[in-house]
């Protein structure tokens, strides 16, 4: 029976000539992930379809320069704070901090030089999986004042791929001063294959009955809203494009979905729960997202316009992918009613997310 394997190879170099490695995790049964040291990026995720035919299901770019200069966060780990902080400003323990703004006067995804633009150190992940899984652990030190955030922060993310084909991400962080922390993963999924048209026929279900409406600048409004009877109702699995063109200010302003759903959280807090189900009818590929996080940002690739292409030269068109970003709520540092995103000295930030592929046979070759 094939066993999962981990290999390391050179991928490219940065602008200053620093080598960037590619870590390949192979389940031994058809699922394979490639992770880069630059941005802790998931560069490739190959998944067989229902008939065993493999295809990369995440959008990617050919070179490190492309990721550094042109990428809309393809596959990257996002920090220090995923999503938006209004006006790039927050107050913590009586002191106000100003961050650089990079999105309509607000701070998005940690600022213009967030974690997606950093070179992470990497090595094999912790043992303990036996022959059932392999992992790579990437680490980053973010100094005090980095992008305006207080406190030095030490972050790690571990990608683990098991023999069933489940890809898991485990994040940890520690700080020497109180600071907001919100980490997420920004993979762009197209289960038909990267560059194979739009995802509007993909079906989606989200384990939620409320979402966060936003202003025209994508900052959450004061209150959440029920999804029932609205274009945001994905309680049952339905095509992403079914109501994308409804006469809704929320959809018009964003050009599609770019909103955070408040996940249903029964049971123990911080326990892994299902957040979403995604399926592509033509290939038969299905994916489930499980997480310990309270929110899920759904983004339908509204900014893609065909000017970016992958290594095979296929252009990425509008709505050519969907992002399912597990995270705390946007602008939480300014919203005391939201779950706190503040990490304090002596505490450990922990978060986990899994991407599962239930159409694959369990423990058998594809």
């Amino acid at each position: 029976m094939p066993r999962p394997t981990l290999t390391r190879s050179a991928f490219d170099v940065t602008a200053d000539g620093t080598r960037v490695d590619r870590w390949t995790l192979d389940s031994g049964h058809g699922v394979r992930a490639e992770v880069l040291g630059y941005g802790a990026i998931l560069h490739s995720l190959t998944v067989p379809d229902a008939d065993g035919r493999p295809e990369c299901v995440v959008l990617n770019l050919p070179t490190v320069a492309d990721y550094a200069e042109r990428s809309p966060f393809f596959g990257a780990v996002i920090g220090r704070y995923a999503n938006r902080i209004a006006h790039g400003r927050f107050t913590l323990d009586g002191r106000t901090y100003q961050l650089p703004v990079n999105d309509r006067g607000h701070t998005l995804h940690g600022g213009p030089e967030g974690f997606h633009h950093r070179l992470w150190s990497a090595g094999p992940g912790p043992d303990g999986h036996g022959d059932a899984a392999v992992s790579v652990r990437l680490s980053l030190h973010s100094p005090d004042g980095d992008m305006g955030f207080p406190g030095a922060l030490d972050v790690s993310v571990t990608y683990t791929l098991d023999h069933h084909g489940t890809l898991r991400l485990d994040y940890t962080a520690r700080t020497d001063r109180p600071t907001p922390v919100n980490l997420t993963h920004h993979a762009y999924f197209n289960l038909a294959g990267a560059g194979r048209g739009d995802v509007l026929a993909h079906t989606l279900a989200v384990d939620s009955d409320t979402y966060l409406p936003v202003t025209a600048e994508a900052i959450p409004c004061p209150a959440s809203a029920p999804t029932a009877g609205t274009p945001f109702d994905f309680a049952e699995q339905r095509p992403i494009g079914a109501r994308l063109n409804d006469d809704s200010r929320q959809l018009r302003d964003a050009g599609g979905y770019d909103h955070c759903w408040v996940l249903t959280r029964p049971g123990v807090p911080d326990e892994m729960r299902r957040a979403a189900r995604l399926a592509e009818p033509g290939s038969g590929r299905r994916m489930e997202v499980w997480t310990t996080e309270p929110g899920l940002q759904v983004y339908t690739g509204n900014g893609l316009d065909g000017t970016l292409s992958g290594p095979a030269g296929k252009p990425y068109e509008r709505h050519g992918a969907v992002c399912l970003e597990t995270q705390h709520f946007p602008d939480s540092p300014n919203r005391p009613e939201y779950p706190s995103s503040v990490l304090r000295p002596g505490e450990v930030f922990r978060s986990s997310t899994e991407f599962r592929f239930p159409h694959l046979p369990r423990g058998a070759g594809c």
Side-chain angles (χ1 to χ4, degrees):
M1 181 176 178
R3 299 175 179 177
T5 59
L6 175 69
T7 57
R8 176 185 183 182
S9 60
F11 173 73
D12 200 356
V13 296
T14 61
D16 66 2
T18 304
R19 169 174 157 155
V20 174
D21 283 333
R22 167 173 42 206
W23 296 81
T24 301
L25 301 85
D26 194 322
S27 71
H29 300 290
V31 179
R32 186 175 69 253
E34 296 179 359
V35 178
L36 305 183
Y38 183 85
I41 287 168
L42 178 64
H43 175 67
S44 176
L45 180 61
T46 299
V47 179
D49 66 11
D51 295 320
R53 293 183 293 262
E55 189 86 37
C56 179
V57 298
V58 295
L59 273 54
N60 57 14
L61 294 170
T63 69
V64 167
D66 289 321
Y67 282 115
E69 299 167 9
R70 309 173 64 207
S71 176
F73 310 103
F74 282 169
V77 170
I78 302 298
R80 182 174 301 195
Y81 199 91
N83 218 310
R84 293 165 179 88
I85 296 178
H87 310 294
R89 189 166 52 248
F90 63 90
T91 299
L92 177 59
D93 294 343
R95 179 174 174 180
T96 298
Y97 296 89
Q98 181 64 55
L99 317 175
V101 297
N102 60 331
D103 180 52
R104 293 167 285 183
H106 310 292
T107 299
L108 172 66
H109 291 338
E113 294 298 325
F115 293 175
H116 59 289
H117 281 318
R118 308 296 173 85
L119 192 60
W120 297 57
S121 60
D127 293 332
H129 306 295
D131 294 332
V134 287
S135 63
V136 59
R137 184 176 186 267
L138 300 102
S139 302
L140 180 70
H141 177 74
S142 174
D144 183 26
D146 188 7
M147 288 288 101
F149 287 94
L153 190 74
D154 289 298
V155 182
S156 73
V157 57
T158 300
Y159 287 85
T160 301
L161 183 64
D162 71 18
H163 66 289
H164 296 307
T166 294
L167 182 65
R168 179 182 174 108
L169 284 79
D170 291 295
Y171 308 87
T172 64
R174 294 173 173 83
T175 185
D176 62 359
R177 289 176 60 194
T179 190
V181 177
N182 186 24
L183 305 178
T184 194
H185 193 261
H186 214 298
Y188 283 65
F189 291 101
N190 185 327
L191 296 186
R196 293 189 178 274
D198 64 46
V199 296
L200 301 186
H202 282 50
T203 62
L204 175 68
V206 180
D207 289 69
S208 169
D209 54 17
T210 56
Y211 80 106
L212 302 180
V214 295
T215 68
E217 297 176 345
I219 300 300
C221 298
S224 61
T227 60
T230 77
F232 296 85
D233 186 355
F234 286 94
E236 300 296 331
Q237 204 150 356
R238 63 179 177 83
I240 290 173
R243 300 188 64 178
L244 195 74
N245 295 315
D246 278 24
D247 185 18
S248 161
R249 184 192 69 78
Q250 290 291 317
L251 294 174
R252 287 196 309 271
D253 287 346
Y257 295 104
D258 190 8
H259 297 77
C260 187
W261 271 252
V262 179
L263 295 176
T264 305
R265 306 299 294 171
V268 180
D270 300 324
E271 186 177 68
M272 187 80 76
R273 297 291 185 187
R274 192 182 65 190
R277 290 167 285 156
L278 184 68
E280 199 282 308
S283 66
R285 290 188 183 90
R286 293 184 290 129
M287 184 177 78
E288 293 182 354
V289 182
W290 291 66
T291 189
T292 58
E293 288 295 303
L296 180 75
Q297 185 83 10
V298 177
Y299 173 60
T300 49
N302 311 324
L304 299 174
D305 60 5
T307 58
L308 294 176
S309 299
K314 299 175 183 176
Y316 299 142
E317 63 183 63
R318 183 174 172 81
H319 306 311
V322 60
C323 303
L324 302 170
E325 307 162 49
T326 58
Q327 58 187 252
H328 270 53
F329 303 150
D331 202 32
S332 288
N334 294 310
R335 307 297 180 99
E337 70 273 22
Y338 289 175
S340 176
S341 60
V342 175
L343 180 67
R344 297 184 179 276
E347 300 174 345
V348 180
F349 170 92
R350 299 186 191 278
S351 176
S352 298
T353 293
E354 289 184 353
F355 301 106
R356 305 179 183 179
F357 300 94
H359 69 281
L360 299 178
R362 301 285 285 176
C366 298

